[in-house]
């Protein structure tokens, strides 16, 4: 029993850290869904393409730039991709949510193909300028990576909620999320808010993908697999709830860590799909709605 508890707390801690990254990815999915009712299945492949761009710009494969400049260029590229993607599917968004969602699968395949064409199928290593130190707090090992992820997640999520709560664009986003028709009648520009959502989602995807890479490796499928877990976080939290995405991300991070350690890493994908199916049956509108009786 003591051995079980000894392993439980470190696993829960590392799961919470990883869960913060899943939450960032999930929030990107939710931002798009709340404003345009489209599930963006290209989210993972586009974020993975951005991670490869950072690798290419900073390693000398494409250019030899500083890490900060490489990140800036990659973010600008992803924002441009978000604009082009929305320009392509915007006519579909107003005709059929399902058709627009299917179209994002095609965008994702194009992004994956571009990654393979430019960088090949090799597995690469992307080093980030993260402080390398370790310290023990009440017997729990905390690393520089842990603190970096927490700091970035807190700042990013805090900035996002501040924009949504206190700016005119954020108010427009909330209005369109509640009732697009009434918002448009009141003079709000739906396309501008949609572009805002797609842009924010692209940046959130890059941040999450970039910080997940140090725990694994960078390949064509790495970030797409990461976004599958972000998708599960969005399902648990409810696709209409940004706070729910945060809760769902942390839950998925902890549950996946515990299952991988105590059961088997080979069946982690099966377990994840099981969690998604269970969540859809028990919490069809998100865990926070179930707990609080109202959608957040």
């Amino acid at each position: 029993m003591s051995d079980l508890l000894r392993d439980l707390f470190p696993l829960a801690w590392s799961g919470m850290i990883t869960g913060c990254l899943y939450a960032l990815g999930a929030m990107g999915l939710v931002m798009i869904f709340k404003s345009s009712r489209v599930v963006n299945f290209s989210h993972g492949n586009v974020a993975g393409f951005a991670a490869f761009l950072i690798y290419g710009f900073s390693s000398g494969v494409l250019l030899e730039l500083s890490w900060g400049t490489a990140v800036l260029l990659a973010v600008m590229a992803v924002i441009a991709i978000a604009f082009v993607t929305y320009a392509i599917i915007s006519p579909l968004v107003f005709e059929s949510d399902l058709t627009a969602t299917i179209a994002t699968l095609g965008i994702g395949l194009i992004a994956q193909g571009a990654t393979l064409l430019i960088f090949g199928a090799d597995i690469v290593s992307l080093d980030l300028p993260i402080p390398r130190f370790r310290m023990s707090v009440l017997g729990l090992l905390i690393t520089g990576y842990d603190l970096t992820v927490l700091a970035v997640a807190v700042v990013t999520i805090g900035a996002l909620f501040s924009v949504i709560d206190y700016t005119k664009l954020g108010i427009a986003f909330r209005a369109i999320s509640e009732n697009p028709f009434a918002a448009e009648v009141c003079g709000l520009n739906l396309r501008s808010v949609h572009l805002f959502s797609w842009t924010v989602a692209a940046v959130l995807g890059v941040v999450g993908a970039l910080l997940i890479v140090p725990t694994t490796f960078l390949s064509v499928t790495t970030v797409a697999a990461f976004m599958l877990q972000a998708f599960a976080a969005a399902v648990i939290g409810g696709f209409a709830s940004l706070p729910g995405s945060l809760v769902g991300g942390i839950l998925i991070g902890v549950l996946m860590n515990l299952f991988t350690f105590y059961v088997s890493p080979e069946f982690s994908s099966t377990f994840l799909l099981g969690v998604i199916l269970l969540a859809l049956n028990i919490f069809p509108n998100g865990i926070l709605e179930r707990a609080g009786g109202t959608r957040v």
Side-chain angles (χ1 to χ4, degrees), residues 43-61:
H43 199 42
N45 287 327
V46 172
F49 180 66
F52 266 100
L53 283 179
I54 295 170
Y55 162 76
F57 290 151
S58 61
S59 65
V61 173

Side-chain angles (χ1 to χ4, degrees), residues 125-246:
S125 176
L126 178 60
D127 294 325
L128 305 183
I130 293 175
R132 300 186 182 278
F133 69 87
R134 297 169 178 262
M135 62 180 179
S136 180
V137 178
L138 300 176
L140 191 66
L141 183 64
I142 299 176
T143 66
Y145 172 77
D146 297 339
L147 297 181
T148 300
V149 170
L150 280 178
V152 171
V154 168
V155 170
T156 304
I157 294 171
L160 176 60
F161 278 96
S162 296
V163 169
I164 291 174
D165 288 339
Y166 301 113
T167 67
K168 290 183 178 180
L169 189 56
I171 294 171
F173 169 78
R174 284 187 285 146
I176 288 174
S177 299
E178 290 297 325
N179 193 323
F181 176 76
E184 190 173 24
V185 168
C186 291
L188 294 178
N189 190 322
L190 267 64
R191 283 181 169 81
S192 296
V193 175
H194 289 173
L195 275 175
F196 163 71
S197 302
W198 282 82
T199 301
V200 170
V203 174
L204 289 174
V206 173
V207 173
L210 196 58
L211 288 174
I212 201 70
V213 169
T215 65
T216 174
F217 49 82
L218 182 58
S219 73
V220 177
T221 59
T222 299
V223 180
F226 156 69
M227 285 301 174
L228 176 61
Q229 299 179 74
F231 179 84
V235 170
I236 290 178
F239 259 94
S241 173
L242 287 170
S245 298
L246 178 58

Side-chain angles (χ1 to χ4, degrees), residues 40-53 81 85 103-122 218-227:
N40 181 21
F41 285 112
S42 68
H43 199 42
N45 287 327
V46 172
F49 180 66
F52 266 100
L53 283 179
I81 291 172
T85 300
T104 65
L105 287 169
I107 300 295
L109 291 174
I110 292 172
Q112 186 180 56
T115 304
L116 285 169
L117 183 65
I118 298 171
F119 299 99
D122 293 338
L218 182 58
S219 73
V220 177
T221 59
T222 299
V223 180
F226 156 69
M227 285 301 174

Side-chain angles (χ1 to χ4, degrees), residues 221-266:
T221 59
T222 299
V223 180
F226 156 69
M227 285 301 174
L228 176 61
Q229 299 179 74
F231 179 84
V235 170
I236 290 178
F239 259 94
S241 173
L242 287 170
S245 298
L246 178 58
V247 175
I250 293 174
L251 279 175
I252 286 295
V254 173
L255 289 174
M256 290 296 292
N257 249 23
L258 294 177
F259 181 86
T260 300
F261 184 83
Y262 288 115
V263 183
S264 170
E266 297 176 0

